[in-house]
Amino acid sequence: MTRMAIEEEKATAAAGSARRAFAGRLSWGLADQAASSISNFAVGVYVARSLGVTAFGVFSLAWVTYGVVLNVSRGLATDPLVVRFSGVSDASWRGAVARSSGTALVVGAAIGALCLAIGVALGGSVGPAFACLGVMLPGLLLQDAWRYSFFAAGLGRKAFVNDLVWGIALVPALVVAAHAGSVAAFVLAWGASATVAAGYGYIQSGIRPRTTQARAWLREQRDLGYRYLVENVSLSGAGQLRAYGLGVIVGVGAVGAVRGAELLLGPFLALLMGLSLVTVAEAARVLRRSPHRLGRFCLLLGGGQAAAALLWGGALLLMPDRLGELVLGDVWHSASQLIVPVTLGVAWAGLGTGAAAGLRALAAARRSLRCQLFASACYVAGGLGGAALGGTVGSAWGVAAATLAGSAVWWLQLRSALREHHQDTIPEARTP
């Protein structure tokens, strides 16, 4: 066998090994998202059936607020971790995780105290839910930080096990909450089970979160962290503004209806919320090893998500009313009218997620921030404008149209960023 043939055989073997490793990491990522989806779906369905559409709307407001805080934590703590510490040495990863998870805890404690104060001041039916959310935020954010940390190291199995622990702890917690019969009790049950998983994450990693190093982490990652913070908060903040505005324009029951429709597409919404655990880390690896394949990787990723969402939405349209009522109870009637526009919105968002992963891998924070601000502005305008014109259904169609426009902008920016990266790497390759 010639030397050239030996080298080709080695290259083929290495490529096959890399593909198998990627398939393994992706499989654990999908398994983890399945566990997360089931937990989120179970909570939503249990609360919807137990409390009815109005109380479920209150719970949904707390859920949306948690989404905003979660994205604050991700922008400052874990998004920079995934971009800069995926596939690095174990010592480097462990040091970064200690600082990153400590930052997540500080964010949870600070915003949790604010939520607690606001909840006490509000009172009524909404206040207790927000007060309980404030108490539970540190555990919720730390659990999410462990998931990001494990995926950055390619340890998706540990992230899956951690989410599985959360799901198991959630079962008795929900039973206790059902006996109490209040929104606050369900918020406590959800947060307490996450805190159990957060404690188990410490056992899994053997890393103690360093809250005293949060300021150092923020200073080290300020070039990415603050842009990702604005980007993430604009995303979740847009959802919060739309939910609050919908409640004012149409009523709190409309918020529950939208949340019910989103629950029906729960597997894909949860996938979109947490897919960056896998995709950004994998896109960063693709960029390091085969930069010319990044665009195709992102297209396959986004297209696959969009197609899967459309298939799931089509199946939901065929679901009989009796089965829908079994799942969502009284929420089903209003939620079923939103299946088509919500499905389209999720599909377009899935398509855009592929481009977003590519921009994150390229560390093109300025471009991704520009995209997210545009997409968030469209989301709020479409959701509230649609609500003013056509109520709950009009809001859903407005969001679907806005998501399509946002996805187009993400892909245009990724194309420009890939072109710039290619131009920058050519001179480097020619340098003697």
Side-chain angles (χ1 to χ4, degrees):
M1 183 178 292
T2 65
R3 183 175 179 178
M4 183 177 294
I6 293 174
E7 293 297 329
E8 289 179 356
E9 185 175 336
K10 288 181 178 179
T12 302
S17 177
R19 282 193 294 269
R20 286 191 295 272
F22 167 70
R25 291 190 296 268
L26 184 60
S27 296
W28 282 117
L30 292 174
D32 175 72
Q33 290 307 316
S36 178
S37 298
I38 290 170
S39 295
N40 291 336
F41 184 75
V43 171
V45 167
Y46 207 78
V47 176
R49 288 185 57 81
S50 300
L51 300 180
V53 67
T54 301
F56 185 57
V58 175
F59 181 83
S60 298
L61 291 177
W63 184 284
V64 169
T65 303
Y66 158 71
V68 175
V69 181
L70 180 65
N71 278 305
V72 171
S73 176
R74 287 178 176 177
L76 293 176
T78 50
D79 282 346
L81 175 77
V82 172
V83 170
R84 286 185 166 150
F85 294 92
S86 293
V88 299
S89 67
D90 183 67
S92 179
W93 173 78
R94 293 180 71 83
V97 169
R99 301 193 300 278
S100 174
S101 58
T103 303
L105 267 179
V106 169
V107 171
I111 303 183
L114 180 61
C115 282
L116 178 59
I118 291 173
V120 171
L122 282 176
S125 60
V126 177
F130 275 79
C132 292
L133 175 64
V135 173
M136 293 291 104
L137 275 176
L140 284 161
L141 298 190
L142 181 59
Q143 192 275 338
D144 188 72
W146 290 131
R147 297 174 69 216
Y148 267 71
S149 301
F150 292 141
F151 277 109
L155 302 173
R157 178 179 58 84
K158 289 189 174 183
F160 167 73
V161 172
N162 193 274
D163 265 328
L164 197 61
V165 168
W166 185 1
I168 293 171
L170 189 61
V171 174
L174 287 178
V175 173
V176 173
H179 284 293
S182 67
V183 176
F186 280 103
V187 173
L188 285 174
W190 166 50
S193 54
T195 303
V196 171
Y200 184 65
Y202 168 72
I203 296 173
Q204 287 177 293
S205 64
I207 300 172
R208 184 164 64 89
R210 303 282 185 177
T211 56
T212 56
Q213 296 185 17
R215 182 176 297 179
W217 174 261
L218 293 174
R219 186 169 56 250
E220 293 167 9
Q221 310 301 327
R222 62 181 178 273
D223 59 325
L224 293 182
Y226 293 117
R227 284 196 175 98
Y228 289 158
L229 169 65
V230 176
E231 180 181 329
N232 289 357
V233 170
S234 69
L235 170 64
S236 52
Q240 191 172 27
L241 287 174
R242 186 245 184 149
Y244 291 165
L246 189 60
V248 171
I249 296 170
V250 185
V252 177
V255 181
V258 170
R259 178 61 186 154
E262 291 173 348
L263 275 176
L264 295 173
L265 283 120
F268 298 99
L269 288 172
L271 195 67
L272 289 176
M273 287 179 64
L275 201 58
S276 59
L277 293 170
V278 181
T279 56
V280 175
E282 291 303 326
R285 289 185 176 94
V286 171
L287 180 64
R288 290 190 184 102
R289 295 171 183 171
S290 305
H292 61 283
R293 294 181 179 175
L294 181 61
R296 184 173 62 180
F297 172 84
C298 294
L299 183 60
L300 290 173
L301 172 67
Q305 289 180 83
L310 291 173
L311 288 173
W312 184 266
L316 289 175
L317 290 174
L318 301 176
M319 188 165 70
D321 288 340
R322 184 169 54 185
L323 181 58
E325 291 170 358
L326 179 65
V327 174
L328 292 181
D330 295 338
V331 179
W332 163 254
H333 177 70
S334 54
S336 62
Q337 302 174 40
L338 309 178
I339 290 176
V340 172
V342 170
T343 296
L344 291 175
V346 172
W348 305 143
L351 186 62
T353 298
L359 286 175
R360 286 287 176 94
L362 289 163
R366 186 172 298 176
R367 287 187 179 276
S368 61
L369 175 58
R370 194 180 304 150
C371 291
Q372 192 56 68
L373 290 175
F374 174 81
S376 297
C378 288
Y379 184 92
V380 174
L384 297 186
L389 293 174
T392 309
V393 176
S395 179
W397 277 109
V399 166
T403 308
L404 176 60
S407 180
V409 171
W410 277 108
W411 279 101
L412 288 172
Q413 288 294 322
L414 177 61
R415 186 177 66 175
S416 299
L418 287 171
R419 188 183 302 118
E420 285 182 2
H421 181 77
H422 179 67
Q423 291 171 349
D424 290 342
T425 54
I426 289 176
E428 292 177 8
R430 292 177 178 173
T431 301

